[in-house]
Amino acid sequence: MATATEVKKRTVRINGCVASAQAAKYADVDVIAAYPIRPYTATMMALAQMVANGELDAEYIVADSEHSQLSISHGASSSGARVFTGSSGVGVQFAYELYSPISGSRMPVQMMIADRTLDPPGDFGSEHTDALSTRDMGWLMGWACDAQEAFDNHLMAYRIGEDPRVLLPQMVCQDGFFVSHITSDVELPDSGQVKEFLPPYKHPYPLDPRHPVSHGPQIMPEQGPPLQLERARAMEGAVAVIEEVHDEFAKIFGRRYDPWVEEYMTDDADVVFFLQGGHAVTARFAIKHMRDNGLKVGMVRLRTIRPYPTDRVNEVLSKFKVVGVIETNMGLGSVSSGGVLYGEVCAALYESQHKPLVLSFMAGMGGEAIVLDEFYWMAKKMTEAQKRGKIEKRTHWVGFEE
Amino acid sequence: MPAIEVERQILPILGSPNQGARFYNPDLPSSEPFVPGHRTCAGCGPSIQYRMTSKAAGDNTILVGPTGCMYVANSSYLCTPYNVPWAHTQIGSAGSFTAGVAAAYEAMIRKGKWKGAFPNIICEAGDGSASDIGLASISGALYRNHDCLIICYDNEQYANTGIQASSRTPYGGMTTFSPPGPMVPEAKTLFPKDLARMMAAGHPHCYVATASVGYPIDLMNKVRKGLNHKGAAYLMIYTPCQKGFVYETPRSIDLGRLVVECGLYPIWEWNPEKREYDYSFRPQNMRPVSEYLKLQGRFGHLHAEHIAKLQTFANQQWKMMGIELPEALIQAADAKNLVNMATASAAEAVAQTL
Ligand SMILES: Cc1ncc(C[n+]2csc(CCOP(=O)(O)OP(=O)(O)O)c2C)c(N)n1
Ligand code: SF4
Ligand SMILES: [Mg+2]
């Protein structure tokens, strides 16, 4: 069987799931660990076909559970192989035990997530609660808003996570269905470009009989602080590498992303939506329409949530009068009694001289689409707060109020 | 780039498989992939097994250690007893982590990313890991036939958490989760899960065998057969734990013999080519179970009727191996012919030591 076939740059019409599979193929992954759950399954289906066709030489393992998927990935990455895995919804949770051991042993496993609501209701819609519930486990994490960005994020995440200054696993997220199953044009690069951008994976201390090492021995409590500090430093240290890699990516592939936030029509905006992922596409339409009607509204889309760009969020959001956080996640009994993003936004703004008013919107719950009218309604709530100079309440459940 | 063929190791089989612990075999390798100086209890059966296993495997080996005594009591940060690469994994990840290592080496060797003979990949899972929480992960690895050896070092309980009942704890075994009392005089009421047969029946393409630290050469040969078998292999090894079984430390190897001689731990091999069991292993003697039970505090509370049940169980095991029962063992399954193990107060004293 041959290793990844040489291919020329071309544009194809594919969905987010297939874009992720394409990225794994370009990265010439060695081990793939699969287990079925919608909607991310389509990625593994595409990879299975690539392996069957001989387009990709990898060990394709149909695992017995998500817990096993992540353990297989952990073992393979520890041995020096480049690994790809993924999941959705309750599958992400079934593997929960492994997230800390993988980042703790500093193995740059990559996991694709196409979000799905947890049970209940367990429907096929996209809610970010699955991945967000693991946000503090030491994984790099961020959302794409379309298939092209998903493809690009996978390649960048491998490069960042495998960098010897970082060595951390990565969750490369996209909304289930809104991104994973919507087809759009994706530019697939020349294999030479990927070779130039992504060096082969080389862990400094793999499980190699020629250089015996012990991974993960038991520690005494007094050995805990330095180990935990090291992992925290790795996460902090990732910041500079993330910026460097985004620059390098722009140079080689010609697409430039701000690693932390995308700002849309924010130049003179008074009120902005703050969100992650695929709903940004609808938000842009809504904003254009509201702008035509003279409303000074914009959007700030968070691209990387771990490491969290605290200073950047502070600097960007301090410019506005009202920030409306669109959660698309459940934070039951949390700071705002809504979602978990509100707390992250407010903490970043705490040291700001010019604090905007912050509202939390529970929208898109259960994976429901957030339609244009709901964006208009949320904008109305924000402008009302702006006029009043204070918020009416922290959290609004969109669709349940006048 | 064409795929590179993966080279496999073949380890020689040692002579005199039925000879015991005190037998010197000049063919044993001098290498010690598992060195002394760790913190397991004196006489620890699992660590005696660990030494034998890793010695049989040699230096081109990678060890995987799910949570349990062989992780916690062996490995200490900055000072571990493993002279070959070793990784801790989660207690439920025995089969899956090991599968990941095996898959990585298949791919890396085939793709020219690692050069050399395919390493021995051995997982050392406790019985709690292998029979309960990690069962599915091990079944997955066996079913998919990764080239690896999964060992269940069977100390018949969750030792590291302070002696709790697992699905391998024998009927009548006292643990902190199965204490004896007026309502449950026999302590553990369930008979153990027949794990090794489950593995053979469910994954007949795998080499599966049972062994005991009482028969070191047999044990090491089974390790080598498992490693030589191209694909997955599973070995369940009796490894007494003095802390949980409550016996005099120097008697670990004796217990390893007695448990086989009394029929409570049948020694066999599953031949994946012929698809049949090989019951040719014969201990030197056959004994009643009481000779094994009386050496251990964990059975100190048993009454005659409970011992009779265990003897009946042992007799069934002999029959399953096609071995004819001597009259004495048939008699020993009748409670009328037996006496209680000890008084209740003696049992209580033992319980205090747990
Ligand atoms: C998910 C999880 N549950 C429980 C534990 C607690 N635990 C640590 S060691 C251990 C005992 C393991 O028993 P076994 O596999 O038989 O190995 P032994 O300790 O007997 O060597 C348990 C239950 C754990 N580490 N992880
Ligand atoms: S408790 Fe048992 S298994 Fe654990 S180290 Fe001691 S003797 Fe060995
Ligand atoms: Mg045990």
Side-chain angles (χ1 to χ4, degrees), chain A residues 62-365:
Chain A
V62 182
D64 44 281
S65 71
E66 288 86 1
H67 188 281
S68 284
Q69 266 184 296
L70 270 286
S71 305
I72 288 166
S73 303
H74 190 192
S77 185
S78 303
S79 306
R82 182 174 282 159
V83 182
F84 184 82
T85 193
S87 198
S88 296
V90 289
V92 179
Q93 311 269 306
F94 196 87
Y96 208 112
E97 184 191 15
L98 275 303
Y99 297 125
S100 179
I102 290 173
S103 70
S105 56
R106 308 288 296 280
M107 292 305 158
V109 168
Q110 185 168 116
M111 182 170 188
M112 178 272 196
I113 289 182
D115 303 286
R116 173 174 173 175
T117 51
L118 299 177
D119 293 347
D123 63 73
F124 291 144
S126 173
E127 216 181 81
H128 297 172
T129 319
D130 50 3
L132 277 179
S133 69
T134 73
R135 68 192 179 280
D136 297 323
M137 291 294 113
W139 288 55
L140 307 172
M141 181 185 281
W143 264 262
C145 76
D146 57 34
Q148 179 75 62
E149 192 182 6
F151 177 89
D152 296 345
N153 282 358
H154 282 290
L155 290 184
M156 287 193 274
Y158 270 126
R159 166 93 185 253
I160 296 160
E162 291 173 1
D163 189 298
R165 294 167 292 176
V166 180
L167 289 177
L168 285 175
Q170 318 103 46
M171 267 189 204
V172 183
C173 310
Q174 55 181 269
D175 283 87
F177 300 94
F178 302 130
V179 178
S180 75
H181 280 63
I182 290 190
T183 310
S184 58
D185 281 351
V186 174
E187 186 187 293
L188 297 179
D190 222 89
S191 36
Q193 287 174 288
V194 178
K195 260 201 194 101
E196 187 189 346
F197 175 71
L198 184 63
Y201 169 48
K202 206 169 162 17
H203 198 276
Y205 305 106
L207 297 170
D208 180 343
R210 288 181 197 134
H211 310 280
V213 286
S214 291
H215 285 186
Q218 180 80 5
I219 62 160
M220 303 303 281
E222 64 266 28
Q223 294 167 320
L227 277 184
Q228 301 297 47
L229 177 63
E230 234 180 73
R231 186 155 44 148
R233 291 248 167 94
M235 195 47 104
E236 279 171 44
V239 171
V241 179
I242 289 171
E243 292 182 345
E244 208 180 287
V245 169
H246 278 75
D247 278 345
E248 186 81 2
F249 186 89
K251 266 186 230 140
I252 295 176
F253 297 93
R255 280 183 297 280
R256 178 169 289 282
Y257 297 93
D258 182 313
W260 312 111
V261 291
E262 176 209 335
E263 291 190 59
Y264 183 78
M265 295 201 168
T266 54
D267 280 350
D268 60 343
D270 289 330
V271 303
V272 293
F273 297 112
F274 182 89
L275 49 71
Q276 302 191 97
H279 293 295
V281 177
T282 328
R284 290 190 201 120
F285 275 102
I287 288 165
K288 249 191 249 155
H289 177 80
M290 289 186 275
R291 283 270 172 182
D292 290 344
N293 295 330
L295 205 65
K296 288 181 171 175
V297 57
M299 173 187 76
V300 176
R301 175 173 69 96
L302 189 63
R303 289 193 68 253
T304 307
I305 188 165
R306 287 295 179 271
Y308 188 68
T310 311
D311 294 331
R312 189 63 198 285
V313 170
N314 178 339
E315 178 200 313
V316 169
L317 296 187
S318 297
K319 299 183 294 200
F320 312 114
K321 304 214 165 67
V322 184
V323 175
V325 180
I326 301 179
E327 299 279 2
T328 51
N329 72 80
M330 291 284 274
L332 293 163
S334 65
V335 186
S336 60
S337 237
V340 300
L341 275 183
Y342 172 88
E344 304 255 336
V345 166
C346 290
L349 288 168
Y350 184 72
E351 281 154 28
S352 173
Q353 296 300 311
H354 309 279
K355 288 192 187 60
L357 299 173
V358 183
L359 294 172
S360 172
F361 291 113
M362 296 302 281
M365 304 316 297

Side-chain angles (χ1 to χ4, degrees), chain B residues 185-199:
Chain B
E186 72 268 62
K188 175 99 186 293
T189 55
L190 302 170
F191 279 82
K193 190 182 279 184
D194 201 345
L195 192 58
R197 282 187 200 271
M198 229 174 119
M199 295 309 190

Side-chain angles (χ1 to χ4, degrees), chain B residues 40-41 44 46 69 73 155 159 241-243:
Chain B
T40 64
C41 309
C44 167
C69 269
N155 56 11
C241 158
Q242 57 89 357
K243 185 179 164 198

